[in-house]
Amino acid sequence: MKSNIGEFLAILRKSKGMTQQEAANRLGVSNKTVSSWETGASCPDISMLPALAELYGVTCDELLRGERISAEESPEKREEKREKSLARLLAMYRNNAAVTSWICAGSYVTAAIAALLIGCAALESLIGFFVGLIFTVGGVLLCIIQNKYLRFQLTQNDFDSAAIDKFSRHLTRRQTCTLVCGAAASGFILPHAFIPVHFGLELGAAIGYGALGAVIAALLALLAAWLVHIAKRAYNADRKKCFWTLKNGVIPYAVIGVLCAAAIAVCSVLPLLTPRPMGSVSSFHADSYSRLRDYLVNDNSLFSHFEYTLHETDEVETTLGEEALNASLQGDLFPVDYVIGHASYFFADFPSQFEDDYHITEADGGVYVEVEVLTAALSDGSVFSSPVFNPELQGGILNFVPSWYIGEEFDDSFILILDYDIPLYVAAQANNIQITQFTLLISSIAGSAVILGGYTAFYLVRRKKFLKAHTGTT
């Protein structure tokens, strides 16, 4: 806007014999706002122009131009200056909308990075999902609020300009783009929501599933935007045409789109229902090696109630005496080295209810069940060794770390930290369904495309007939 609009407002106020406080009271703003207008520090919003024009007895065009309109000035010249003044104001609004869009985009990128860092590096995918969701929702709300504000500014005036209509369409396109990006960001972080607490996705899986989720979410958002656009255009053109479009176009497309997206989403996230995390850490307070052995074995009903024979093992004989085995873990008795081995047990009659708990291999006359063996060399030269029957620890113990716990409850005792990898049975399940999963995914995408394409052809034929019967046009 012109730089002298502030001076023009000050002249108008003084000509009415008002103080800044009186003008502010009449306009419903603060005297600091009036002062900033008159000093040129800020410009009145377009929604304030009608109130200012009425207060000072001028026209909105004169306020935009920052000067009185001469009676000798031609209508063409007057319209040209008016459009230029309005264009400067709309340019300011356009810049504000652009800045808001970039802030929203930054919020979406932050959401994706936060989900990856927390989910893949800290192995807390569920927390990463909620942190990312906060940034995503914040960006979406900012976009909606800013768009509503700018549209309110445009409607609170007496202008009827092609420039305002063009800017309104620009706002619609920008908001649609920003909201579609928000939907894509939500789809990108969605896979982390399916991971159990204290587990994380592998980086490759997080990016791969996230990209698939982003594409699906963005397509759904575009479909919704297209349906809304069709409904608005139909409503503005003809009420009967609008209702026909809603009944035969918008509602069926929405239902079909949601069902197809749900089918694709289920097929794409099915492996995540049996997640393949990088690993997890289990901190177990052990005040004796016998308690640690109980934790590793965990009174497992498979090995306690069914007959088996030891096929092969890396287990070594424990050289701890009974006294040392049950003694409190204090003083100098602690692990100085450890090794992770394996043991294979043969079951002639393997119970089917345990197929999902262990890594098993089919064999003639039965199955082999593989478990891990933890063997630790202690500081006094003795050895502690135990098979790991606990099904929760079947993925491979990567670390066996003793550390002091300083606290009122466990002073001078050990916390034994077991850092273990993905459970073997989970990996086996995921590998078994990999080919089936890919087939289901491709089939769901192809089926969705056929259904949407078939209904589109059906809809276009019916629409052509309806328009011909209703308006005589196509």
Side-chain angles (χ1 to χ4, degrees):
M1 298 181 70
K2 282 192 174 182
S3 59
N4 65 349
I5 186 174
E7 299 175 6
F8 185 54
L9 290 173
I11 293 172
L12 292 173
R13 176 181 57 79
K14 292 175 182 177
S15 68
K16 295 292 183 180
M18 298 182 189
T19 64
Q20 288 185 345
Q21 186 61 56
E22 290 173 341
N25 292 338
R26 297 280 296 275
L27 294 169
V29 297
S30 67
N31 63 338
K32 292 183 179 180
T33 301
V34 174
S35 176
S36 67
W37 291 345
E38 295 182 358
T39 57
S42 65
C43 293
D45 289 332
I46 196 172
S47 62
M48 292 299 302
L49 295 184
L52 285 167
E54 182 179 356
L55 178 64
Y56 295 144
V58 295
T59 66
C60 291
D61 285 350
E62 289 174 327
L63 288 175
L64 277 175
R65 292 171 57 173
E67 60 182 6
R68 287 283 192 175
I69 298 176
S70 173
E72 291 80 16
E73 190 174 66
S74 65
E76 292 80 9
K77 189 68 173 178
R78 183 180 306 174
E79 182 65 21
E80 180 183 353
K81 290 185 176 181
R82 174 181 178 276
E83 291 295 332
K84 287 182 178 179
S85 300
L86 182 60
R88 283 192 287 269
L89 182 62
L90 293 179
M92 181 182 68
Y93 286 167
R94 187 185 296 266
N95 181 69
N96 291 342
V99 170
T100 301
S101 295
W102 282 110
I103 293 175
C104 292
S107 180
Y108 301 150
V109 172
T110 303
I113 293 176
L116 289 177
L117 288 178
I118 299 175
C120 301
L123 301 181
E124 292 286 355
S125 279
L126 197 58
I127 296 178
F129 167 74
F130 285 110
V131 172
L133 188 63
I134 292 173
F135 282 102
T136 303
V137 172
V140 170
L141 291 178
L142 177 61
C143 171
I144 294 175
I145 293 173
Q146 174 71 354
N147 189 273
K148 291 290 185 182
Y149 170 76
L150 291 178
R151 290 190 182 279
F152 174 79
Q153 298 295 330
L154 295 177
T155 56
Q156 301 301 307
N157 62 79
D158 299 326
F159 297 117
D160 184 14
S161 171
I164 292 182
D165 294 337
K166 181 179 179 180
F167 179 70
S168 180
R169 292 191 296 270
H170 170 76
L171 276 183
T172 300
R173 291 192 297 270
R174 183 175 288 277
Q175 182 188 35
T176 300
C177 181
T178 305
L179 293 180
V180 168
C181 290
S186 301
F188 185 84
I189 66 175
L190 182 61
H192 294 274
F194 295 92
I195 303 303
V197 179
H198 305 316
F199 282 86
L201 277 172
E202 293 180 349
L203 181 60
I207 294 177
Y209 289 121
L212 180 61
V215 171
I216 294 175
L219 290 177
L220 284 176
L222 285 173
L223 176 62
W226 178 65
L227 294 176
V228 170
H229 173 71
I230 289 178
K232 284 184 176 180
R233 189 171 61 180
Y235 184 83
N236 294 333
D238 187 284
R239 187 71 61 88
K240 185 175 181 180
K241 179 181 176 182
C242 171
F243 291 141
W244 187 93
T245 304
L246 285 173
K247 179 181 178 181
N248 298 276
V250 175
I251 296 176
Y253 267 114
V255 173
I256 294 174
V258 169
L259 292 177
C260 290
I264 296 174
V266 168
C267 292
S268 62
V269 304
L270 188 59
L272 301 180
L273 301 179
T274 25
R276 302 192 64 176
M278 290 179 63
S280 185
V281 176
S282 174
S283 299
F284 174 70
H285 174 257
D287 54 10
S288 68
Y289 281 100
S290 62
R291 183 173 180 184
L292 172 63
R293 184 171 59 185
D294 291 341
Y295 174 65
L296 297 176
V297 175
N298 197 28
D299 190 27
N300 188 270
S301 57
L302 171 63
F303 289 89
S304 301
H305 297 87
F306 297 92
E307 294 184 0
Y308 63 89
T309 57
L310 178 62
H311 175 64
E312 57 182 356
T313 182
D314 298 333
E315 182 178 359
V316 299
E317 182 179 354
T318 298
T319 58
L320 279 177
E322 191 67 24
E323 181 179 352
L325 188 66
N326 293 286
S328 178
L329 291 181
Q330 297 179 2
D332 296 328
L333 188 63
F334 56 88
V336 295
D337 195 11
Y338 71 95
V339 64
I340 305 298
H342 294 85
S344 180
Y345 296 86
F346 181 78
F347 286 78
D349 186 16
F350 184 77
S352 59
Q353 65 263 33
F354 294 100
E355 290 180 355
D356 292 339
D357 293 339
Y358 293 91
H359 189 194
I360 63 174
T361 303
E362 300 288 344
D364 292 338
V367 298
Y368 290 104
V369 177
E370 182 180 2
V371 301
E372 301 195 346
V373 176
L374 171 64
T375 301
L378 307 183
S379 55
D380 65 348
S382 56
V383 173
F384 169 80
S385 184
S386 173
V388 184
F389 291 156
N390 188 339
E392 295 180 358
L393 306 177
Q394 289 304 304
I397 298 177
L398 306 178
N399 254 326
F400 177 63
V401 183
S403 63
W404 290 102
Y405 184 92
I406 306 301
E408 296 180 359
E409 185 178 358
F410 302 127
D411 274 343
D412 299 329
S413 59
F414 277 107
I415 293 292
L416 297 178
I417 302 176
L418 303 178
D419 184 2
Y420 54 92
D421 200 358
I422 171 177
L424 291 178
Y425 74 90
V426 174
Q429 284 184 335
N431 290 332
N432 290 336
I433 69 171
Q434 185 174 6
I435 296 179
T436 304
Q437 173 60 30
F438 179 77
T439 304
L440 286 174
L441 180 60
I442 296 300
S443 300
S444 63
I445 295 176
S448 299
V450 170
I451 293 174
L452 285 172
Y455 187 79
T456 299
F458 174 74
Y459 168 75
L460 291 177
V461 171
R462 291 200 62 193
R463 183 173 182 271
K464 185 175 181 179
K465 292 181 179 180
F466 170 78
L467 291 177
K468 186 175 181 180
H470 182 60
T471 63
T473 60
T474 54

